[in-house]
Amino acid sequence: MSAVQPALDAGATAPPSAAMPMVEIQGVTHRYGQRLALQDIHLSAGAGEILALLGPNGSGKTTLFRILSTLMAPSEGRIIIDGLDVAGQRDEVRRRLGVVFQSPSLDQQLSAEENLRHHGHLYGLRGSELSRRIELMLRRFDLYDRRHERVHRFSGGMRRKVELAKGLLTQPRVLLLDEPSTGLDLPAREELGRLLREVRDEGIAILMTTHLMEEADRCDRVAILDQGRLVAHATPAELRRRLGGQIVTIQTDQPAAMVERLREALNIQADLVDTTVRFESPDAHRLVERVIELAPGKVQSITIGQPSLGDVFIALTGRRFDAAIEPAR
């Protein structure tokens, strides 16, 4: 595994975006029987910030989402939301939360307006105030002209807009989203990202789980989870910058031998990830010819690119993001 600066460690917390964090996760650990799903998670999110919980299947992000949304209590640790302890003040916390689950929660046989109205009733909203909020949400998400249509006729992107409108109808201080781009095409994902940035700019704290690198890259900060541990968190730019240069990937029919030759001849500590050789270097473009000379006729391809969040994950774990194992969710 490549060396990573200590600032990438989970203990090196990024500075909070506000003096008083809107969400505080304090030493959260959770077990399913003997299986450890989360281990001593410390994390915070401020008002007006989008925080991505990025991790592959089995990383623990879904478990953390369930705990944040008050659906389950952690085995150890505390969650503080808007100054309220979730364990002792759950009802008050729920009134401050907007939650959008990965699985659709819309009644397909009701219209967009009817879905919002029934959701408002669950929170005790009635009359003109509820009608005002519904109209505001429908107009905001460009749904007003189709407010009377049953949502089963909507595209995936439009249904996600209705879900988001539901989550914001109660004017929450914190918005939680579980894999919000699931099932959406690229234009719909980009539109969703734009809408979330608008919500963020109103001072709402947004926490979202995702396994999509491009989605996490658009967030203000990224918390990377792996096998229940928080392995890094910072802004996307900071995470990439700390890798120390460009990423060189080499395809060769002798990958293990190439790793050894790079170490012996060029003093480069390379990783073997699956069958791909990779390393970071601030002078990557100057090394291409020398690398080819190490194994004449054996190098199939060399690519040089700027670090991605996927490269950060490899540097931290020694595994490709899509090759991670799947224990507890």
Side-chain angles (χ1 to χ4, degrees):
M1 188 185 306
S2 299
V4 181
Q5 296 182 15
L8 275 179
D9 294 342
T13 60
S17 63
M20 176 64 71
M22 190 61 65
V23 178
E24 298 177 79
I25 302 168
Q26 302 176 351
V28 166
T29 294
H30 192 74
R31 299 177 180 84
Y32 295 103
Q34 298 300 312
R35 186 172 56 190
L36 189 64
L38 293 171
Q39 183 176 351
D40 195 28
I41 304 296
H42 291 266
L43 194 60
S44 66
E49 177 181 39
I50 303 178
L51 173 64
L53 303 175
L54 175 67
N57 291 335
S59 63
K61 63 184 187 296
T62 298
T63 296
L64 184 56
F65 180 88
R66 291 171 179 164
I67 293 172
L68 287 167
S69 57
T70 76
L71 295 179
M72 56 192 292
S75 302
E76 301 172 21
R78 300 174 70 204
I79 301 285
I80 307 295
I81 293 180
D82 197 15
L84 301 173
D85 191 321
V86 172
Q89 300 167 286
R90 189 177 66 173
D91 291 342
E92 291 87 345
V93 168
R94 285 181 172 178
R95 284 192 282 269
R96 289 162 167 78
L97 290 179
V99 183
V100 178
F101 295 98
Q102 179 178 358
S103 300
S105 63
L106 301 176
D107 189 320
Q108 301 287 315
Q109 299 306 312
L110 297 181
S111 68
E113 182 175 359
E114 289 169 334
N115 269 278
L116 294 182
R117 191 167 300 280
H118 283 294
H119 184 70
H121 289 164
L122 292 175
Y123 282 80
L125 297 172
R126 296 288 189 277
S128 60
E129 175 60 18
L130 176 56
S131 296
R132 184 189 68 81
R133 293 193 191 186
I134 290 173
E135 180 176 349
L136 180 66
M137 289 296 104
L138 291 172
R139 291 189 182 279
R140 174 174 196 171
F141 294 108
D142 198 24
L143 296 165
Y144 189 77
D145 291 343
R146 300 182 65 178
R147 63 192 182 279
H148 297 311
E149 288 187 42
R150 295 181 180 182
V151 296
H152 74 81
R153 298 178 181 175
F154 287 1
S155 66
M158 289 186 65
R159 291 177 191 173
R160 215 55 175 156
K161 285 183 177 181
V162 179
E163 297 268 14
L164 191 55
K166 279 180 57 180
L168 293 172
L169 184 68
T170 58
Q171 299 178 345
R173 305 293 302 278
V174 176
L175 181 63
L176 305 175
L177 304 105
D178 190 16
E179 302 282 357
S181 292
T182 297
L184 300 185
D185 58 19
L186 180 58
R189 291 202 300 269
E190 292 177 346
E191 173 69 2
L192 177 64
R194 182 188 65 79
L195 292 170
L196 291 179
R197 288 189 291 275
E198 288 183 2
V199 172
R200 180 269 316 273
D201 291 344
E202 296 174 1
I204 296 175
I206 301 175
L207 284 80
M208 56 187 290
T209 69
T210 184
H211 66 279
L212 300 175
M213 298 292 180
E214 67 273 16
E215 188 168 57
D217 225 351
R218 292 193 293 264
C219 296
D220 299 308
R221 277 195 300 137
V222 179
I224 300 178
L225 295 168
D226 179 52
Q227 299 183 48
R229 299 178 298 112
L230 178 63
V231 295
H233 70 287
T235 69
E238 288 171 339
L239 289 171
R240 290 192 298 268
R241 188 164 55 244
R242 292 170 185 168
L243 281 185
Q246 295 174 307
I247 304 299
V248 180
T249 57
I250 305 168
Q251 296 293 336
T252 173
D253 54 8
Q254 297 180 346
M258 175 59 76
V259 170
E260 186 65 18
R261 288 169 185 167
L262 286 169
R263 185 184 63 81
E264 293 178 348
L266 301 179
N267 196 29
I268 291 174
Q269 299 299 317
D271 292 327
L272 181 57
V273 182
D274 298 331
T275 59
T276 300
V277 179
R278 66 177 300 280
F279 63 88
E280 303 107 33
S281 172
D283 300 311
H285 62 286
R286 299 176 181 174
L287 294 172
V288 172
E289 186 175 349
R290 299 183 66 186
V291 169
I292 293 175
E293 291 174 349
L294 292 177
K298 301 298 183 180
V299 175
Q300 298 159 352
S301 68
I302 298 180
T303 60
I304 300 174
Q306 296 302 315
S308 68
L309 291 179
D311 294 315
V312 173
F313 186 85
I314 291 173
L316 291 165
T317 68
R319 306 190 314 281
R320 292 174 57 88
F321 190 85
D322 56 8
I325 60 174
E326 185 173 358
R329 291 174 59 83

